[in-house]
Structure formats: structure tokens, C-alpha cells
Amino acid sequence: MPNPPTIKEIAKRLNLAASTVSRALHNHPRIGLRTRMKVQELARELQYEPNQTAIFFQQKKTFTLGIVLPELSEAFFSAAISGIEDTANKSNYMVLLGQSHDDTTREQKIVEIMKNHRVDGLLVSLAKNTVNYAHFEMLRKYNIPVVFFDRIPNMPNIHYVASNMESGTIQAVSFLLQRGHRVIGMINGPEKLIASQQRTAGYQKAMQLQRLKYDASLNINADLTKEGTRNAMRQLLAHKRKITAIVAFNDYVSQDAVQYALEQGLEINKDITFVSYANLPLSSYMAFPPLASVEQYPYLQGQKATEILLELLSGKLSPDQYQQIVIDSRLVIAPAR
Amino acid sequence: MPNPPTIKEIAKRLNLAASTVSRALHNHPRIGLRTRMKVQELARELQYEPNQTAIFFQQKKTFTLGIVLPELSEAFFSAAISGIEDTANKSNYMVLLGQSHDDTTREQKIVEIMKNHRVDGLLVSLAKNTVNYAHFEMLRKYNIPVVFFDRIPNMPNIHYVASNMESGTIQAVSFLLQRGHRVIGMINGPEKLIASQQRTAGYQKAMQLQRLKYDASLNINADLTKEGTRNAMRQLLAHKRKITAIVAFNDYVSQDAVQYALEQGLEINKDITFVSYANLPLSSYMAFPPLASVEQYPYLQGQKATEILLELLSGKLSPDQYQQIVIDSRLVIAPAR
DNA sequence: TAAATTTGCGCAACCGTTTGTCCAATCATT
DNA sequence: AATGATTGGACAAACGGTTGCGCAAATTTA
């Protein structure tokens, strides 16, 4: 009811200067033990709480991190944000959220609002179609550091954390080869995507490791839609060589592919085996989960990205020491069930 | 590079008082048109942006809403937060996020930090085990309004939005009755949960509508763990009456139950049929998705809750006009596949 | 033409906290 | 005992913007 107690209030009651009270509360050595105790006691008694907005204003700092990402309903991002939040909280930072819903315009607007809210820094995973990065460049002028994660811009001089699909893909293909599969199809993503290129590279290298020939016609670029996946499957199943295993771009694609295979009368894990990349946490509930899955460590990515941002903010890292962390993906074999 | 322009800066250049500039920028009628124009032009030229932290401080308002919920990786909540965010953004509010991970201690800490960050209001869905509400009561002292959603406290005089499981349950059971099922099992949640009681009530009413007798021994309270579900299934399948359909507490429970049924050699949708409550967006990828599912409208709940909070903040709603919105759940029949 | 209004803007206080500087009193040094 | 060093605290400005009030000039009214 009465206004929340302020430092001035405490100062007045104790016949001290506000500055003294402030210092006393911060255990400043220049303040005598006796007054320090008196101040702290009264503060406790009055349930004094520093007014953060005043501090933010005064310090030009809000202890708030802005997060811009496409879509929380995607498991990858909801895991990533947990990593972000946990890490931020440890350093007493809060997390301001904005979903772009994969819309560049929304993304721009969110960045603008967050800038106005004076977030100390930004963690960003790009909207699918964002190709113009002006709204991020602009932040340099305001000295707001940005760390990108997972979906990173094609731009030099940025901080980012991303996962490299190559390592996981090598492992995935090797896993299949080891199990005797020789003709392995790949339902890949759009060709321009770095993630697709990495998958291709992984496929090639895995074959090379076994001194086997890489057959590009087994590697199909699809568009990640259900129809696109079905078309890719059609192609693959019609291939002159008999395909016994398929590496799918992600779990969604994998499921669509499985469905198609079932329709064609194939028996999963017998006639044809699937390996995928983990986007889903619920694979244990899926009808035919992939036999193995490439883990991309979303939590870890969020964590790393946040750590970098925090170091940037604390000055431990200078803004032009561009951090570009690549987290190797890794194959995880599904537990038998 | 030079510090961002301030009102004072503009005032100095134009030989005006800061107050005049401020009013000019706000189109205050007492400021002459000519000076108003001059000010606005220079502001544009200098790319003046009001310092929000200064405004927050001065106005004692942050245009920030705190969201406390258990777990974003649960589809229900990630949908809810979309509703929250979209609604908040429309009114130029930002959203500060905190996950309790279903831990009451974390929940308390988050609320504390958010209070210190001076959020204008809070949207809360309780951690599973929270039974003490002191950390929310405390907010009244600070005049921070709270609107609960979905997981609401058992406490009078609060604002909340929740869904009523009764209506959906009536529809679910009726759906099964209509399809000829006469002995319908229910795997319910913990007895104390309001949501469980609503399910029971719905079950009873649906039977009553058809002048059928409600058999309590068909309605099992389980604990939502996999093991609990399996025990419930054991009981149900051992029931003296032959159960042909089951209403499961949610999709997770449903899947565990399906798994058990399969192990027992039952054929899904023939020997036994499942109906559930939608927590998962991915039912289309599940092996045996429930035949129908009760929709709880998470997006809508988030939206409604936010609207109430915003009205509370704008004064359109007085804090003691307790809003208690119940959204009826509704059965959604799964598309054939 | 004098009085009453209106118009347009400046002054100053204020929001709560932090921090650089200055001053007085106390203490130690020689 | 005079000087210097240390201690403990006060003063005031600053962060950027808002707002109540006052006041002069311009305008209208009687």
C-alpha cells in the first residue's frame, strides 16, 4: 500500500545520505561496519527491494536477452530455448521471447521492438526465408551483440553456433554399411541449404571410407513437404538398384517416407530400413521410428550460444573476436523395443 | 558511435526546452504547429529513438508480461505461448519467459526475478506439485496482476482461464456409445486433480444421457506414468465385463496403453478402441493414434488469458472483478487414413 | 481601449540508483 | 606536537523523459 521503500527512505530514517545507504547495501568497504549493519537491518525490516528499472536506466543495461526464433512448437527450438534460459538464468539474465513464425517481416519487427526494449543482446535463429540481414546489421550501431544459432545467416563476421551434419551423416551411413546395406538412398533437403550440402558431404565421405563408390542418383533433393517426400520415395523405389536403406532429412520426412513405403507393401526394417535426424522427442511413440537418429544437440547449441553472448556482454570476449562454433552431430542408435 | 540522440540534444539544437520537445513529439496540442514540425523533423533526421528504459523507469511500467509455465517442450504449452505472444505483441507488450520445469522451487525463483524485473503482469500455469501459493499472493502487495491458465491453483479470488474437460468427455463417451461400445474403460488422472474430476463427471453424464448405468469400477485413477498406465490397463483388461473401448487421460497415456494392449495381442481399433485428449500435435505420426481426441484449445487459452491480463493492466477491468473463464473442450474425430 | 482569454513555451521537480569528489574526523608517524 | 595517512560519510550530478505550473505574448471580448 505505501509505496515500496527506496534507498532515500532508508537514508532519511537513518539520517544518512542516500549514497551511503547504497554503498552500505553493496558492502562497500568505505562504509563503517556499524552503519553498514544498521542499514542492512533496516533494509531487511522494510523489505527493501532495489528498483530494477531505475538500475537498468542508470546502468544502461537490462540484464535481458532477446531470443528470436521461428517456432517454439518445433521440438528443436523448444529444447534450444531451455538451454538458453537455463544458462541465462545462471547469470541472472532474463529471456525475452519472440517467434518469427518463419516470417521475415515479423522477424524484423521483433528485432526492432527488442532493440527498443534495450535488450543487452540477441540470440537468433533465422526465419526460413530471411535473406536480407539489414535488421541485424543495424544492431551494430546500437552495440547490441547478436549470436546466431542453428539457422545462421550467410554472412561474414558474425558469431554463431551451429551443428555440422556431416559427422552425423558419416556415422549414419557407416552404420548402415556395417549392417550390410549397400544401396542407400538419401532424401535430402533443398540443395542450397548448408545442412543439405553437409549431408551430401557426409554421405560421400562415408562411402569413401569403405572405398565404395558414391552414386549421386541415390541422393535426392526434396523440399521437405509430404508430397515432396513421396515423390522422392517414388524415385528411390524405382531406382534400378534395389535400395534397402534410406537416410531421411529429418524425422518428419522419415515418417512420411515410412508411410509411403508401407503403402507400397514394404515391410519396415526388413525390406527397407530408415535412419534419420532427430527433430522429434517422441520417436518412442512413433509407429516405425528410425532405427537410428542423428542428434543435433539443441540444448547444447542454445547453451553455447548463450555462453558466447554472455561473454560478449561481460567483455570477456571482444565483439570482433568472431566465435563460430560448430557442434558435431552424432548418431544415436535407437534402443530396441 | 556518438551517443544516441536524446530529447535534451534536440532541445539544445533547436533552442527549446526539453519539455517542449517531449510534448512536440507527442503531438501535444499546446505546442504550436511550427515548432512541432521542426522538432519532429530534426528527430527524424537524427533518428531519435526514445530511451525505453528511461520511460519504464519514469512511468513505472515496462510493457512486459512474465510467463511462467512448466515446460515448453509440451506441445500444449508451446501452442499456448504462441497465443500469448501474438496477443501481447498486438498491444506492444513483450513476453518474458520462465520455465519451472515442474519444480516449485524454480517457479518461486522465477516469480521473484520477474517481480524484480518489474513485469507489469504475470501469466502462470502451475508446476505440477505447487500447493503453496505464497509466491503468488505476494504479488498482490506489488500490484502485479496474475492470470492463471490451464493449471490453475485451488484458491478463491483469482483470475483464470481453463478448459473444462467435462464437455469434451461427454462427447468422447457419447461418440463411443454411438459406435456401439457399451463397456467403456477410462484411464483417469490423479483423483484430486480437477481435470480428473471433470472427466469423471463427463463420463457419468454421457451415460446418463443414454439412460445407461455408470460403472465406477471402469474408471481407474492412475498417476500418468507409464507404469501407472500399464497397471490401469491390467485392471481394465481383467475386468469381468469385456471392455471394447478406452478413454485415456491424454495422448501420452493413450500411447502407453496402446503399447500394452498390443503386447497382450489385442488388435487396435478392432478388439479395442482408444479415444484421448490432445496433448500432441503429432498424432498423425503415431502408430495407433486415438480414434478421436478432445481438443483443449491451448492457443485460445493463451490468448484469452492475455486479453484478461491486458484489460487488467489498462484498467478496463478492476482487479477484484475476478475473471474465471472456462473454455469448453470439444471432441475432434481423427481423419481417416 | 482596457480586460479577459487563449496560445505557446520554459522552468523545475521528479522517478531511484550509482559514483566521483570533497570534507571532516580519527589515527598513526616521526 | 605537527604532519601525513586513513577512515567514514555527505554532496551533488547524472541517466532521459514527463508533467504541473507559471508566465508572457497574442488574441479575443466587452
Side-chain angles (χ1 to χ4, degrees), chain A residues 79-94:
Chain A
I81 208 173
S82 282
I84 292 171
E85 212 206 314
D86 292 349
T87 310
N89 285 171
K90 267 183 205 142
S91 300
N92 282 317
Y93 275 78
M94 288 260 82

Side-chain angles (χ1 to χ4, degrees), chain B residues 154-165:
Chain B
N154 185 1
M155 184 163 68
N157 296 346
I158 57 167
H159 305 272
Y160 72 72
V161 175
S163 62
N164 183 353
M165 294 295 115

Side-chain angles (χ1 to χ4, degrees), chain B residues 205-251:
Chain B
K205 291 203 181 163
M207 296 300 279
Q208 206 174 313
L209 280 173
Q210 300 299 321
R211 315 229 172 281
L212 295 170
K213 228 179 76 199
Y214 166 72
D215 181 348
S217 69
L218 289 172
N219 183 355
I220 314 266
N221 288 108
D223 63 359
L224 311 186
T225 65
K226 183 168 191 143
E227 218 25 69
T229 299
R230 295 175 67 84
N231 282 331
M233 280 298 286
R234 225 183 312 276
Q235 272 188 63
L236 288 175
L237 294 185
H239 200 277
K240 55 185 181 238
R241 304 169 67 187
K242 181 152 177 278
I243 292 177
T244 60
I246 288 181
V247 178
F249 187 84
N250 64 32
D251 288 335

